[in-house]
Amino acid sequence: MIPIIYENSEILVINKPCGLAVQGGQGITRSLDKDLSTQTGYKIFLVHRLDKDTSGLMIVAKNAQAASKWTKLISSKDITKEYIAICVGKLKQNKGIIREDLIQHGQKKTAVTEYQVEKEWMLQAQKNDAPVEIQMSQIRLKLQTGRMHQIRIHLSKQNCPVAGDDQHGNFKINKILRKAAGIKTLQLFSVKLTLPDGQSFELPME
């Protein structure tokens, strides 16, 4: 069952599990759009996306007309989305904006991410039977643009990749983290959504 956090006549706010693709495609046996349609008994429509391995809050529409409306609202930034990332490393400043263009589908795209460091700590671990300390950070992020893998790429380019991100992060350290801290999945979570009417939904960080 996919947890439904909120519902009105147009949308559902749901808590997407890690590892569930948002949309079906080649090689994908399960997807959010199919599973949620089966669960609710009616077809749901996507208005934005989360990476397969990103979990957390997401909006889906209950009909095509609502989907058109809410897709435009998200594009116009009338909806605020906030994320928490558990990262390997440390940012140079505790608060700021990352502005770095991304290449997507062969084209350069503007990409802007706001961030605020919430917590930093040293994780005690073992590497080749020798003790090591790994710098960790908890960072809250807001997207000003919505490019594919934007947060993951931006943080990686700042030498502070998301823990558990084997595609853009540090594979060797991720291997250590699996043993030391049980981190087996991407540590990126969509934790807060604020709707145009001011309604806000937030997931607690455990």
Side-chain angles (χ1 to χ4, degrees):
M1 291 282 284
I2 296 166
I4 296 171
I5 308 297
Y6 169 78
E7 178 176 3
N8 65 21
S9 61
E10 295 182 338
I11 61 164
L12 301 171
V13 176
I14 58 104
N15 184 0
K16 186 189 89 67
C18 173
L20 181 63
V22 168
Q23 195 168 28
Q26 189 173 1
I28 296 173
T29 53
R30 287 188 57 212
S31 61
L32 173 74
D33 55 355
K34 285 184 180 177
D35 285 11
L36 194 53
S37 295
T38 301
Q39 180 178 320
T40 58
Y42 54 84
K43 184 178 179 183
I44 65 103
F45 295 78
L46 299 172
V47 299
H48 67 120
R49 285 164 172 72
L50 288 178
D51 294 346
K52 178 182 176 182
D53 293 323
T54 301
S55 64
L57 297 174
M58 186 175 166
I59 297 169
V60 297
K62 299 169 84 169
N63 56 63
Q65 188 177 0
S68 176
K69 171 185 171 180
W70 285 84
T71 299
K72 287 173 186 169
L73 285 171
I74 285 175
S75 297
S76 66
K77 301 178 186 174
D78 286 333
I79 294 166
T80 305
K81 295 179 284 183
E82 296 182 31
Y83 297 78
I84 293 286
I86 306 300
C87 298
V88 177
K90 183 176 181 176
L91 292 171
K92 291 177 182 176
Q93 296 179 312
N94 283 336
K95 186 177 182 180
I97 298 175
I98 302 169
R99 303 176 191 272
E100 186 153 0
D101 294 346
L102 303 180
I103 304 296
Q104 298 194 333
H105 308 296
Q107 292 185 314
K108 187 183 282 189
K109 301 279 188 181
T110 301
V112 184
T113 307
E114 294 180 50
Y115 71 86
Q116 169 80 57
V117 177
E118 294 190 331
K119 194 164 54 171
E120 295 175 341
W121 69 99
M122 299 301 292
L123 181 71
Q124 309 299 319
Q126 294 279 326
K127 183 180 180 183
N128 300 326
D129 296 325
V132 293
E133 286 191 326
I134 299 173
Q135 172 73 56
M136 304 292 293
S137 301
Q138 179 174 308
I139 304 168
R140 183 172 288 261
L141 306 112
K142 285 185 187 177
L143 292 177
Q144 290 188 15
T145 55
R147 309 303 179 198
M148 186 185 294
H149 294 190
Q150 177 175 318
I151 288 173
R152 294 163 66 181
I153 296 170
H154 269 178
L155 288 173
S156 182
K157 284 177 177 286
Q158 300 295 313
N159 295 315
C160 192
V162 180
D165 188 352
D166 285 341
Q167 184 175 353
H168 302 290
N170 189 317
F171 182 82
K172 289 180 179 178
I173 290 182
N174 288 338
K175 198 172 176 182
I176 296 169
L177 291 176
R178 276 194 284 274
K179 288 183 179 178
I183 294 174
K184 298 176 182 177
T185 58
L186 182 74
Q187 297 298 291
L188 179 60
F189 314 96
S190 171
V191 295
K192 188 173 181 180
L193 277 173
T194 304
L195 304 186
D197 63 2
Q199 262 192 112
S200 191
F201 308 95
E202 185 160 12
L203 296 177
M205 283 298 292
E206 296 175 0

